[in-house]
Amino acid sequence: MLKLLKICFILILVYPKSNFAKQATVSLSVEITNIKKIQGTIIIELFQLSKENQQEWLPEHLVHHQVISVTTKQQNISFELLSPGNYALRLYQDLNNNKQLDKSVTKIPLEPVGFTQNPSLFKGEPSIEKASFYLQENKIIEVKLKHRKPKQKRRV
């Protein structure tokens, strides 16, 4: 009888924890918009921030890396089983399928790029903190691709 009570007590302690662990994960759905050319792939990187005021996109904080083919002017992707916390997402459309973001000599992206929070790119790539968001429940976010502006002809 004492052995049965111990087993019941252990089950009571373990069961709620295992059930809680299943409920403690959240999902993130991302709508990628402003796709102007239906070609190439979109490279998506999801980072989890480890501390407040983190500035750099460090490889050790990369939690998901995914490549999807561009088939429509709006693409959707989901990330499942994420733990609550601070995340940031950056992506680019690889128009020529060379698996890298092409940049000019002045480091300006030549291919469309996007970040969560859709920050300004005026001063270059935003810090991870500027693109970060807190995920505590299932969420849908939009990331708008930003394109390089074509050079304008000078008037003489």
Side-chain angles (χ1 to χ4, degrees), residues 20-148:
F20 176 77
K22 289 177 187 173
Q23 294 174 355
T25 61
V26 292
S27 66
L28 173 66
S29 294
V30 182
E31 295 176 354
I32 304 166
T33 61
N34 200 31
I35 298 171
K36 293 183 179 178
K37 293 183 180 179
I38 309 238
Q39 73 184 64
T41 58
I42 294 180
I43 313 300
I44 302 150
E45 296 177 319
L46 180 66
F47 292 81
Q48 185 170 24
L49 284 69
S50 61
K51 60 182 179 179
E52 292 287 323
N53 301 320
Q54 183 176 332
Q55 298 296 312
E56 295 181 46
W57 298 87
L58 302 172
E60 58 265 23
H61 296 130
L62 181 66
V63 291
H64 286 287
H65 177 271
Q66 202 156 350
V67 179
I68 59 171
S69 294
V70 178
T71 56
T72 62
K73 294 209 177 229
Q74 179 176 319
Q75 297 287 144
N76 296 310
I77 185 165
S78 293
F79 299 95
E80 305 292 330
L81 303 174
L82 298 172
S83 57
N86 285 316
Y87 290 89
L89 188 119
R90 70 177 175 185
L91 54 92
Y92 69 93
Q93 185 176 3
D94 186 9
L95 294 170
N96 58 6
N97 287 318
N98 67 351
K99 298 180 179 34
Q100 64 184 17
L101 176 60
D102 296 329
K103 295 181 181 179
S104 70
V105 271
T106 57
K107 305 288 184 202
I108 295 172
L110 299 174
E111 296 176 300
V113 296
F115 299 88
T116 40
Q117 305 294 356
N118 298 302
S120 168
L121 302 179
F122 182 71
K123 294 182 179 179
E125 181 179 58
S127 69
I128 193 169
E129 183 186 36
K130 287 198 173 160
S132 71
F133 63 95
Y134 188 72
L135 184 65
Q136 66 183 8
E137 58 188 22
N138 296 344
K139 191 173 203 171
I140 299 171
I141 60 173
E142 177 189 358
V143 175
K144 185 176 183 179
L145 282 181
K146 296 186 179 187
H147 302 262
R148 176 177 76 124

